[in-house]
Amino acid sequence: MQFKTTYTSAPVHSCTHCGDSCDGSILNAQKQAFCCQGCESVYQLLAENNMCDFYRMQEGSISKPGSIDEARFNHLNDIDLQRNLIDYEDEQQYRVSFRLPQIHCTACVYLLEQLYRFESSISESKIDFSRKEISITVRKPGISLKSLVIMLHELGYGPDLNHKLGHKQAIDPEKKQLIRKLAVAGFAFGNVMLLSFPEYLSTGGLDEPMVQATIHTLSILLSIPVLAYSGLGYLQSAWTGLKKGILNIDIPIALGMVVLFGRSVFEIITGIGYGYLDSLTGLIFFLLLGRFFQQKTYDEFSFERDFRSFFPLGITRLRGSQEEEVAIDKLEPGDRILVRNEEVIPADAILIANRCLIDYSFVTGESHPQERFRGDVIYAGGKIMGAAVQMEVIKKVSQGYLTKLWNHESFSKKHDDRFKTITDRIAQYFTPAVIALAIGGLVYWFPSSPQTAFQVFAAVLIIACPCALALSAPFTFGNAIRILGRNKFFVKNSVVVDKLSQVDEIVFDKTGTLTTAENNKLDFSGISLTAYERSLIKTACRNSTHPLSRQIANAFDEAPFEEVQLFDEVKGKGIVAIIEKHIVKVGSAALLDLAGSALNTEASLVYVQIDGVLLGHIRFINAYRPHIADSIQSMGQHYRLSLLSGDGDQEASVLQPIFGEKADLHFRQSPSDKLDYISARQKAGAQMVMMVGDGLNDAGALQQASIGVAVSEQAGQFTPASDVIMEGQVVPTMHHILAFARDSRKVIFANLSLSLLYNTVGLSFALTGALTPVVSAILMPVSSISVVLSATVLTNYFARKNQLK
Amino acid sequence: MAIIVVLICVSVVVASLFLWAFIWSVKSGQYDDTYTPSVRMLFEDQQVAASTTSTTESTPKQNHK
């Protein structure tokens, strides 16, 4: 090569605060490097307060403190809004809690629980790590709500205020109630079991009538709350099922429970036996345990977000020269609004400023900012990058292009009503069969011995109580939810796992789902560059911190030059540098003063000019996720696939072979096109359509589909309402996840056979009138426990078979 | 043999007390966050030192070797 070997690359510093690589231009007094002023000031703050332990503890990446425009938070001074945000307030203090999506490691807890060191009026700050929430108590008159939010932003933990408004109440009261029911049932189960021991051990009953009476009375007393409190849910569900004429699984359970209790009390009072109270309490305890096991919730995710949790709470409206903060619902067509850097545009509007850059990544998944000019119609949902711009609202927020989707009927109806879970489907046949058998036994025995006939009738209902059947699905799906969660595939509830095993059609979005913004490919078109020119371009880009510049610098392998005579970064336009006496310009068409219709104004194009000669432009192409083609091909063998993309059809020829000849590929799809496609497929007979998408433009389709899977690049990032949230990196392993879901059905069927076997054995005892408390005491727990065990072991086996963690 | 009746009753009462204690602990929110306390207890006990220095604000950097 013609370059001198002395061109070694300059030492790359890493930011002392956030760890990003940086050029070392910002140094503090101790010669520690920072990537930006924000990081330096946070470090300074921590160092002054003797809290540098933070860096020792932290794992993963520290979020960068954003540059704060205080005016963005003016709406926090609004009394109404404050009332919504503040949890508790009196004369001395107020308490407020926020969701901080950036909380990710021990160091975050360390830092945020010591907020009082930075601000003396904060008396307490407490973190709930799994919910990613902070609760702060402030002594009055202390720091205002607005300053508090700004302070958190400055530390790099910007609160998610919208989330807060949607979820005012804290812990799920239903879960707490289940724990209480479980505690009562477990307590009674243990004690009744213990009290029953003497009955089983002594052959002829207890000799002492007083002891016997005490034991029996206590057993009955302990069982009453179990039936009336812990088992109440089953009784109610059976009753509502009966009223609606649906034979659900709770009917035989409730019937079994009531008969078990009634018969036991009858036997004990009349003195003919000791009853089955230990079986009854055990049964309810195991059933509740299954329900508890199934209730895996992901507090850190929100599956129910709508556009309100994404749009700003308030926006600056201009009245003449006056600025005022208004809630976005109050915006009317014709209002002038001022949207600042990083703010989301709340309503469809016309741009009044000359030009602006808008980041539509929330909407489309496309990560490159788009350029818009005066007079363009701007759709809501984009984020402004750069200087504040004025706009004129043309539609109310609720009438906007994107928000109209939420008024679509698919958002108001509940899909789950149509779906019958696997247990419910079996119950349809099981319940009538049990009742028929019981009545058959009654009719058969009645002529010879009416007393035995009633005993047999009760015994059938008791033994056929589908405990094992009802336990199978909760434990299988409950364990499946846990396994899928370990593989970064977060499922809303167990019904979704059941649906997942029955998917027959999958619809994909392209940008952000199959592709990722993380490793862009660069495509240079123009005259071919010499190695010398490439070195010049790399050197110019290396000095900039702009993400596109960094990608160019990383893509060019040539050795950079050490010395740069002049370097100027024109904000929002590009770079001008003089290197080796050459003027190098890298940036948008506006930077290079290019004009003419031949030029593409796409913001993702970067033009390169050296010494006034235009060499060409670089286009950034979103790269497909690694191994995605294999995964799609493998899924194509089991499911009907289709692709809906908002982009043009340039890549159709690449995608068609991957998806297969039969697959539908549709391009230039609007959000409502996507929704319509899904409902068209459902009308065409697809039973279970799964939609995989990421942006707000997929929100309608995600909602309409039987299963909506939202892809998120990072946990805690914004995702539209969905049934499943999956991390982007696991998209290529989706075929394994779906295979596992299909296998989970096998587990259920295996357990069904097992429980039917127990039922056959038990029923043969019951129908012959030979069901004694001992047989029941052995059969019932053994069947329950073996079903629970096999559900857990088999799901783990299938997870390993499908290469899941 | 009558003593066993008393013992059974006493044992059930004691067990009921524990049941009540458990339900109370759930109700009072002790199971709301089961993760953070395990992290919190590992921090160095600076809080105490820090609050004493903040009361004597003239010497804020004394513990800074």
Side-chain angles (χ1 to χ4, degrees):
Chain A
M1 302 293 282
Q2 70 266 48
F3 306 120
K4 287 180 224 153
T5 44
T6 45
Y7 291 136
T8 50
S9 55
V12 177
H13 298 268
S14 63
C15 176
T16 315
H17 178 67
C18 70
D20 278 8
S21 60
C22 55
D23 55 5
S25 59
I26 303 172
L27 292 174
N28 69 359
Q30 282 84 42
K31 293 266 182 286
Q32 287 158 313
F34 294 94
C35 65
C36 58
Q37 293 294 338
C39 284
E40 193 200 346
S41 56
V42 174
Y43 181 83
Q44 189 77 25
L45 195 63
L46 292 182
E48 275 169 13
N49 289 286
N50 192 19
M51 284 178 63
C52 285
D53 274 353
F54 175 71
Y55 298 101
R56 206 166 41 73
M57 277 188 265
Q58 77 92 27
E59 306 148 20
S61 60
I62 298 176
S63 49
K64 282 182 192 233
S67 56
I68 318 292
D69 184 354
E70 295 206 359
R72 254 176 76 193
F73 301 104
N74 277 344
H75 58 268
L76 288 174
N77 290 332
D78 185 60
I79 302 290
D80 284 337
L81 191 68
Q82 281 189 6
R83 204 172 295 137
N84 282 329
L85 286 168
I86 288 176
D87 295 332
Y88 172 79
E89 188 170 17
D90 63 23
E91 278 80 43
Q92 276 92 41
Q93 59 187 7
Y94 70 89
R95 194 171 62 232
V96 63
S97 60
F98 299 114
R99 188 169 178 276
L100 308 179
Q102 290 88 350
I103 293 180
H104 68 282
C105 71
T106 318
C108 302
V109 181
Y110 173 80
L111 175 68
L112 291 167
E113 296 214 328
Q114 300 194 54
L115 285 181
Y116 63 86
R117 292 194 181 204
F118 308 128
E119 170 56 53
S120 55
S121 66
I122 293 177
S123 55
E124 193 193 15
S125 56
K126 214 172 161 194
I127 300 288
D128 184 332
F129 189 87
S130 46
R131 303 172 71 84
K132 302 196 177 196
E133 271 178 14
I134 185 169
S135 153
I136 304 171
T137 311
V138 179
R139 272 190 296 268
K140 280 186 177 174
I143 185 168
S144 74
L145 191 62
K146 179 183 157 193
S147 318
L148 192 63
V149 170
I150 291 173
M151 175 177 156
L152 288 169
H153 265 284
E154 280 170 347
L155 286 170
Y157 298 93
D160 179 356
L161 296 172
N162 306 64
H163 177 87
K164 165 78 182 175
L165 287 179
H167 301 71
K168 187 85 188 181
Q169 38 125 310
I171 310 283
D172 185 10
E174 226 167 83
K175 191 175 178 181
K176 276 193 168 182
Q177 200 191 27
L178 182 62
I179 296 177
R180 283 204 295 275
K181 284 180 170 180
L182 195 59
V184 170
F187 163 79
F189 174 46
N191 281 292
V192 173
M193 195 77 145
L194 215 61
L195 293 173
S196 307
F197 259 128
E199 312 274 14
Y200 295 133
L201 296 177
S202 64
T203 43
L206 286 170
D207 305 328
E208 294 272 337
M210 188 171 66
V211 177
Q212 202 173 12
T214 318
I215 286 176
H216 285 154
T217 322
L218 266 179
S219 299
I220 293 175
L221 285 180
L222 284 169
S223 309
I224 289 171
V226 179
L227 185 72
Y229 176 63
S230 303
L232 190 65
Y234 292 94
L235 300 179
Q236 282 168 340
S237 156
W239 180 240
T240 45
L242 271 182
K243 271 200 296 195
K244 279 192 203 159
I246 306 165
L247 292 174
N248 60 16
I249 195 76
D250 290 334
I251 293 173
I253 293 178
L255 216 53
M257 272 165 27
V258 171
V259 172
L260 206 53
F261 184 76
R263 166 118 183 218
S264 305
V265 172
F266 172 76
E267 277 188 12
I268 289 169
I269 288 172
T270 54
I272 54 169
Y274 347 108
Y276 311 86
L277 290 173
D278 50 341
S279 296
L280 171 72
T281 47
L283 168 81
I284 296 176
F285 176 69
F286 281 119
L287 284 172
L288 290 173
L289 200 62
R291 211 168 254 201
F292 182 73
F293 195 72
Q294 179 177 262
Q295 243 188 9
K296 170 81 186 163
T297 49
Y298 294 102
D299 293 326
E300 67 266 41
F301 295 113
S302 170
F303 290 97
E304 314 290 352
R305 289 191 202 183
D306 70 1
F307 68 97
R308 268 180 289 272
S309 57
F310 163 71
F311 281 179
L313 303 170
I315 193 82
T316 313
R317 181 164 63 187
L318 299 172
R319 279 272 158 93
S321 60
Q322 287 268 303
E323 287 186 13
E324 56 174 7
E325 292 291 323
V326 288
I328 59 166
D329 314 332
K330 291 185 189 142
L331 284 181
E332 293 290 338
D335 280 355
R336 284 227 172 168
I337 52 171
L338 185 71
V339 188
R340 296 188 172 84
N341 185 22
E342 296 276 301
E343 266 186 342
V344 174
I345 302 157
D348 296 357
I350 289 176
L351 187 64
I352 292 174
N354 279 329
R355 65 178 282 281
C356 69
L357 279 177
I358 304 172
D359 170 9
Y360 271 115
S361 60
F362 284 132
V363 182
T364 61
E366 172 64 60
S367 58
H368 300 297
Q370 318 232 323
E371 198 169 17
R372 291 286 182 276
F373 298 95
R374 177 190 284 268
D376 284 353
V377 173
I378 315 265
Y379 291 116
K383 217 185 218 180
I384 291 289
M385 316 281 286
V389 288
Q390 285 189 28
M391 296 184 183
E392 189 175 308
V393 176
I394 52 173
K395 276 179 185 162
K396 291 190 75 147
V397 173
S398 56
Q399 300 295 311
Y401 179 62
L402 272 170
T403 45
K404 258 204 304 215
L405 267 181
W406 268 271
N407 300 331
H408 190 276
E409 52 177 19
S410 66
F411 281 85
S412 49
K413 74 165 180 252
K414 282 200 168 170
H415 300 282
D416 289 8
D417 294 344
R418 300 180 288 157
F419 182 74
K420 277 200 171 132
T421 61
I422 189 159
T423 321
D424 281 340
R425 262 170 292 149
I426 293 161
Q428 272 181 301
Y429 306 103
F430 187 86
T431 311
V434 168
I435 294 170
L437 263 182
I439 293 173
L442 183 77
V443 172
Y444 176 82
W445 283 98
F446 199 78
S448 54
S449 149
Q451 204 201 338
T452 326
F454 281 106
Q455 265 182 31
V456 167
F457 179 73
V460 169
L461 289 180
I462 289 168
I463 203 74
C465 175
C467 184
L469 194 69
L471 285 174
S472 173
F475 277 93
T476 308
F477 291 144
N479 205 26
I481 290 179
R482 255 160 271 258
I483 290 168
L484 292 173
R486 276 207 296 276
N487 290 280
K488 315 240 185 261
F489 189 86
F490 305 100
V491 176
K492 186 164 81 174
N493 57 37
S494 64
V495 178
V496 178
V497 186
D498 199 344
K499 286 179 174 178
L500 212 55
S501 65
Q502 300 177 50
V503 168
D504 50 11
E505 190 165 338
I506 310 176
V507 182
F508 289 94
D509 166 56
K510 187 171 78 77
T511 315
T513 305
L514 301 183
T515 66
T516 169
E518 265 171 19
N519 43 347
N520 279 320
K521 274 199 303 203
L522 267 61
D523 178 36
F524 182 83
S525 55
I527 60 161
S528 63
L529 298 172
T530 64
Y532 183 70
E533 284 163 343
R534 291 169 73 91
S535 287
L536 287 176
I537 297 166
K538 175 164 182 153
T539 313
C541 292
R542 206 171 65 110
N543 282 288
S544 156
T545 51
H546 191 277
L548 292 185
S549 316
R550 302 212 74 89
Q551 285 179 18
I552 298 175
N554 289 335
F556 285 21
D557 300 328
E558 281 73 14
F561 297 103
E562 281 280 276
E563 208 178 313
V564 178
Q565 277 93 24
L566 182 142
F567 180 81
D568 185 26
E569 202 161 351
V570 187
K571 213 169 185 181
K573 288 185 175 174
I575 323 165
V576 180
I578 299 178
I579 307 156
E580 299 252 299
K581 295 181 183 145
H582 295 291
I583 304 168
V584 181
K585 286 185 178 180
V586 182
S588 66
L591 175 83
L592 275 64
D593 286 328
L594 299 171
S597 57
L599 284 166
N600 202 330
T601 48
E602 256 181 78
S604 61
L605 284 187
V606 172
Y607 291 88
V608 180
Q609 193 188 43
I610 296 181
D611 294 333
V613 182
L614 181 66
L615 299 178
H617 61 256
I618 298 167
R619 182 195 293 272
F620 290 85
I621 303 167
N622 277 342
Y624 287 94
R625 295 181 192 277
H627 313 301
I628 191 87
D630 298 341
S631 177
I632 291 172
Q633 272 163 358
S634 147
M635 281 187 276
Q637 291 164 10
H638 295 277
Y639 308 104
R640 189 184 181 280
L641 302 180
S642 34
L643 176 92
L644 302 178
S645 172
D647 301 347
D649 56 1
Q650 301 94 338
E651 287 171 61
S653 56
V654 185
L655 290 164
Q656 193 76 56
I658 298 175
F659 275 78
E661 288 307 309
K662 283 178 287 174
D664 276 348
L665 305 187
H666 295 283
F667 296 92
R668 296 191 189 86
Q669 298 283 300
S670 74
S672 48
D673 288 342
K674 292 187 178 191
L675 196 159
D676 293 341
Y677 178 81
I678 304 266
S679 40
R681 289 306 310 160
Q682 284 167 335
K683 285 204 186 89
Q687 296 295 316
M688 199 63 72
V689 183
M690 177 164 132
M691 169 79 202
V692 188
D694 69 323
L696 268 183
N697 61 343
D698 298 321
L702 289 174
Q703 198 65 230
Q704 176 65 33
S706 311
I707 308 173
V709 181
V711 176
S712 157
E713 218 47 75
Q714 246 178 319
Q717 216 182 27
F718 171 81
T719 48
S722 60
D723 300 306
V724 180
I725 293 172
M726 108 194 264
E727 281 194 18
Q729 69 205 57
V730 297
V731 174
T733 63
M734 241 176 88
H735 57 296
H736 291 311
I737 285 167
L738 288 168
F740 173 66
R742 289 197 303 272
D743 282 337
S744 70
R745 276 178 94 70
K746 290 185 199 157
V747 178
I748 300 236
F749 287 122
N751 280 327
L752 285 183
S753 332
L754 194 67
S755 76
L756 282 179
L757 186 76
Y758 284 122
N759 267 332
T760 321
V761 174
L763 282 174
S764 61
F765 275 104
L767 283 170
T768 50
L771 182 76
T772 58
V774 182
V775 174
S776 137
I778 294 168
L779 210 57
M780 284 196 148
V782 165
S783 69
S784 307
I785 290 167
S786 61
V787 164
V788 169
L789 273 181
S790 84
T792 322
V793 171
L794 282 177
T795 39
N796 285 338
Y797 163 75
F798 281 120
R800 206 155 338 128
K801 196 192 119 198
N802 289 306
Q803 298 169 35
L804 298 179
K805 269 180 265 172
Chain B
M1 209 45 184
I3 192 70
I4 200 136
V5 175
V6 180
L7 284 177
I8 288 172
C9 294
V10 169
S11 76
V12 171
V13 169
V14 171
S16 307
L17 280 179
F18 280 103
L19 176 69
W20 170 81
F22 176 71
I23 290 175
W24 166 77
S25 70
V26 173
K27 218 173 199 167
S28 67
Q30 293 182 37
Y31 287 82
D32 290 357
D33 181 9
T34 48
Y35 180 77
T36 325
S38 72
V39 174
R40 201 175 285 140
M41 68 166 286
L42 293 175
F43 297 145
E44 294 294 333
D45 231 357
Q46 293 185 326
Q47 273 101 329
V48 184
S51 55
T52 44
T53 46
S54 64
T55 45
T56 56
E57 241 163 333
S58 52
T59 56
K61 298 214 167 163
Q62 287 282 298
N63 56 351
H64 208 300
K65 280 203 283 197

